[in-house]
Amino acid sequence: MLKGRLLAIAKEVPPSKCIADIGTDHGLVPVWLIENGIVQKAIITDISSKSLAKAEGLIKQRGLESKIEARTGDGLKPIKPGEVDTVIMAGMGGMLIRNILTDAPCVAEKVKRFVLQPMTAQSALRKWLVENGYAIVDETLVREDSRFYEIIVATHGSQRIYNEVYYDIGYMLIKKNDPLLKEFIKQKIDKTNNIIHHLERQNTENSINAAEEFRRKLLQYKEVYQWVLRLNKS
Ligand SMILES: C[S@@+](CC[C@H](N)C(=O)[O-])C[C@H]1O[C@@H](n2cnc3c(N)ncnc32)[C@H](O)[C@@H]1O
């Protein structure tokens, strides 16, 4: 039933008593986790009652009303402190995920594992996590058509980032030599080159400074690309 991005997210959830899927929408991930015996109970939330109704329809259809509880609300606010071991937040912007973590500190501090799949601002989210008492313990890349999705798994803890390129290309992706890493970096290099060409055409003071910053990033990406090529030759 699950595949691609959603399956990769579900696979990052360890056997748990109770998990929460925040911004669940369709509810496919918690249903899969319950039906595969990975979690005993799930709480699903969504800020939109219309979205949550989709998940509730699926839960009813699968007869899982006793195992999956739906709550309408903002971020982690519908969850009580200590109620869940693992939190999934997927398909939302990175800054929204950051705000959700900041807005409910009493709930967030009791959660053991966060499975995050930001659609945007992935680098900013990694930086925020590392600077705010979280450690990134795993990462996975998924590609659907030409789009890459970055799944970031975090726990409470401390972590040192030795090179700021690891905010753009997760260190764990390099450490585990993710099968999609080479193509992911190649796409990053191509996109950065396009941005630089676009900025160079504008020729304003701001665009000149921005182009300089992107050239610096490009060099870092190319360096990591070379490491990955070497890693795959040895
Ligand atoms: C694009 S869907 C992602 C659905 C699913 N998690 C996935 O990854 O496929 C984003 C969902 O997040 C919900 N959402 C947005 N802001 C939210 C918030 N502050 N708290 C809870 N849910 C939110 C939206 O209503 C929407 O259903």
Side-chain angles (χ1 to χ4, degrees), residues 104-112 114 134 156:
C106 298
V107 180
E109 77 180 13
K110 299 274 187 213
V111 173
K112 293 196 184 87
F114 298 85
Y134 293 87
H156 293 290

Side-chain angles (χ1 to χ4, degrees), residues 5-6 9 21-26 45-48 51 73-75 90-92 96 100 117:
R5 177 182 70 91
L6 295 178
I9 291 165
D21 184 22
I22 309 296
T24 195
D25 193 29
H26 39 70
T45 78
D46 206 292
I47 202 163
S48 146
S51 289
D74 182 7
M92 293 189 264
L96 175 58
I100 289 174
Q117 187 269 301

Side-chain angles (χ1 to χ4, degrees), residues 143-148 187 191:
R143 191 181 53 198
E144 284 181 1
D145 302 319
S146 65
R147 177 154 194 176
F148 286 97
Q187 192 186 75
K191 279 188 177 170

Side-chain angles (χ1 to χ4, degrees), residues 36-89:
N36 285 276
I38 294 157
V39 307
Q40 292 171 30
K41 197 189 160 210
I43 300 170
I44 58 170
T45 78
D46 206 292
I47 202 163
S48 146
S49 46
K50 203 169 151 202
S51 289
L52 203 59
K54 281 191 252 175
E56 285 174 306
L58 178 66
I59 293 161
K60 200 163 173 217
Q61 191 193 323
R62 299 293 180 132
L64 296 175
E65 294 97 323
S66 63
K67 304 220 162 172
I68 306 183
E69 188 186 331
R71 300 180 189 167
T72 308
D74 182 7
L76 288 169
K77 288 174 189 164
I79 309 293
K80 292 187 199 84
E83 208 177 11
V84 299
D85 316 315
T86 299
V87 161
I88 302 167
M89 285 194 258

